[in-house]
């Protein structure tokens, strides 16, 4: 059952990512990078890539949920309501 749930979630994630434009994907990657770069502990790492990928996964999951509530994933160059306030 756990494997089936994981497979379903991964399929939902793949479908969600495939539905995004290149600009939206860039925005999600930039958001993940900004979050990692803002963390003080990240400054001491030789490579932040693993942190970027983990944070990117978090951002994608967050936006999957937000889209379910009617929000739209911004594209590169757009601001979210949070960033404007």
């Amino acid at each position: 059952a756990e494997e089936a749930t994981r497979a379903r979630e991964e399929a939902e994630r793949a479908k969600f990512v495939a539905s995004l434009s290149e600009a939206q994907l860039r925005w999600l990657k930039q958001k993940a990078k900004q979050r990692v770069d803002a963390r003080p502990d990240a400054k001491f790492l030789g490579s932040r890539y693993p942190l970027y990928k983990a944070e990117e996964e978090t951002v994608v999951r967050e936006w999957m949920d937000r889209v379910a509530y009617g929000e739209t994933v911004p594209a590169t160059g757009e601001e979210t309501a949070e960033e404007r306030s």
Side-chain angles (χ1 to χ4, degrees):
E2 196 173 305
E3 282 185 33
T5 300
R6 194 172 306 131
R8 182 182 48 78
E9 288 175 351
E10 191 54 40
E12 288 173 2
R13 181 194 181 284
K15 183 178 175 183
F16 174 75
V17 170
S19 74
L20 299 175
S21 70
E22 284 298 316
Q24 288 172 314
L25 287 170
R26 266 193 312 277
W27 185 88
L28 289 172
K29 287 179 185 290
Q30 288 174 353
K31 179 56 86 179
K33 186 177 184 310
Q34 287 171 353
R35 288 182 180 182
V36 169
D37 290 347
R39 295 184 351 210
D41 58 328
K43 291 176 177 52
F44 300 106
L45 296 173
S47 173
R48 296 182 193 166
Y49 177 77
L51 293 177
Y52 292 151
K53 292 307 285 182
E55 190 63 33
E56 183 180 327
E57 183 65 26
T58 301
V59 171
V60 166
R61 297 275 178 208
E62 174 187 326
W63 277 94
M64 284 174 66
D65 193 43
R66 291 174 80 155
V67 166
Y69 284 98
E71 291 192 43
T72 302
V73 178
T76 304
E78 294 180 3
E79 291 182 351
T80 63
E82 294 169 355
E83 294 168 331
R84 284 189 293 269
S85 57

